[in-house]
Amino acid sequence: MTQDELKQQAALRALDYVIDGEIVGVGTGSTANYFIDGLATMKDRIAGAVASSEASARRLSSHGIRLLDMNEVESLPVYVDGADEIDASLSMIKGGGGAQTREKIVAAVARTFVCICDASKKVERLGRFPLPVEVIPMARAQVSRELIRLGGRPIPREGFVTDNGNLILDVHGLDISDPTGLEITIDGIVGVVTSGLFAKRGADILLLATPEGVVTYGRT
Ligand code: 5RP
């Protein structure tokens, strides 16, 4: 089975968590795209969707799924999204697509975060995948110096501008033995909009697609 087929299996399993008549929070990336395509098959059963990126909003719209603005939504039963890495406590690195700020906002409102991944994303310890950090452009150099002080090697993502008009620094080599502590530290640097560490608010459920089937994990 290919990695894409595994992504699709995890995504389609997440449709079981969509609640009839409710709004669905929708993530960003290739796995989330499979979820959006699956959601289209049941679009008449949901009240609509909140998207975590312009790209996902476009894909939802192309399927005729009603889009809601985050500011219109007080609570969200479920948010479905992929990850770049996820550990046993369901803390994650996200932002491979540079959408972590909006993803973190939608996740913060959701009662249940369902993470959908192929088996390659599950790791013992976060940090092999460089940590994406969204940064206000004028703060790039200062934030880079702070990230170097934390032991990282920040590399500006070439030619990439986030949906919010900012830059991404991909930070290599960080020691992420304390994901929550590091998330608080990096998100507290002046000029950082959001890091791709999702530990304070990790996933509640992981649907991990393996060649033997989709395995469900709950947050410990
Ligand atoms: C985008 C994300 C994605 O969820 C993450 O990059 C995984 O992407 P994919 O499903 O394409 O492997 O955080 O900002």
Side-chain angles (χ1 to χ4, degrees):
M1 208 173 280
T2 66
Q3 188 180 23
D4 273 341
E5 285 167 340
L6 291 173
K7 287 180 178 194
Q8 187 176 30
Q9 295 222 331
L12 295 182
R13 181 63 62 85
L15 296 175
D16 294 346
Y17 292 83
V18 174
I19 300 168
D20 280 0
E22 296 280 2
I23 300 162
V24 187
V26 177
T28 299
S30 55
T31 319
N33 282 345
Y34 284 121
F35 175 71
I36 295 171
D37 296 347
L39 199 59
T41 65
M42 55 180 293
K43 66 178 176 192
D44 297 331
R45 286 167 42 194
I46 58 168
V50 172
S52 64
S53 64
E54 300 296 335
S56 291
R58 280 194 297 276
R59 198 173 184 102
L60 286 158
S61 289
S62 75
H63 285 302
I65 297 171
R66 180 175 167 234
L67 277 177
L68 288 107
D69 186 285
M70 193 62 236
N71 289 306
E72 299 172 51
V73 173
E74 253 178 57
S75 73
L76 202 54
V78 66
Y79 175 57
V80 178
D81 198 358
D84 298 300
E85 286 184 350
I86 184 160
D87 70 11
S89 66
L90 307 194
S91 295
M92 295 166 281
I93 288 183
K94 292 183 47 53
Q100 71 266 26
T101 298
R102 295 188 188 195
E103 291 171 343
K104 220 177 249 199
I105 293 166
V106 184
V109 175
R111 283 202 294 281
T112 305
F113 185 145
V114 178
C115 182
I116 48 177
C117 289
D118 69 87
S120 70
K121 305 291 185 68
K122 183 117 189 311
V123 297
E124 282 286 309
R125 185 166 166 158
L126 300 175
R128 187 175 306 162
F129 192 92
L131 180 68
V133 178
E134 181 168 357
V135 175
I136 301 282
M138 75 167 284
R140 178 182 43 80
Q142 166 60 8
V143 170
S144 295
R145 285 190 288 271
E146 293 290 335
L147 292 167
I148 289 166
R149 260 179 228 125
L150 291 172
R153 255 182 317 111
I155 305 203
R157 198 176 291 183
E158 283 295 318
F160 186 86
V161 178
T162 70
D163 285 347
N164 313 306
N166 297 313
L167 309 174
I168 295 284
L169 297 174
D170 289 306
V171 190
H172 298 248
L174 285 168
D175 173 356
I176 313 188
S177 45
D178 173 12
T180 304
L182 191 62
E183 178 180 2
I184 291 167
T185 301
I186 294 180
D187 283 0
I189 298 172
V190 174
V192 166
V193 181
T194 320
S195 78
L197 266 173
F198 284 59
K200 274 194 298 171
R201 201 283 179 257
D204 301 297
I205 292 165
L206 166 62
L207 301 175
L208 191 74
T210 74
E212 290 74 42
V214 179
V215 182
T216 304
Y217 296 84
R219 192 156 212 208
T220 49

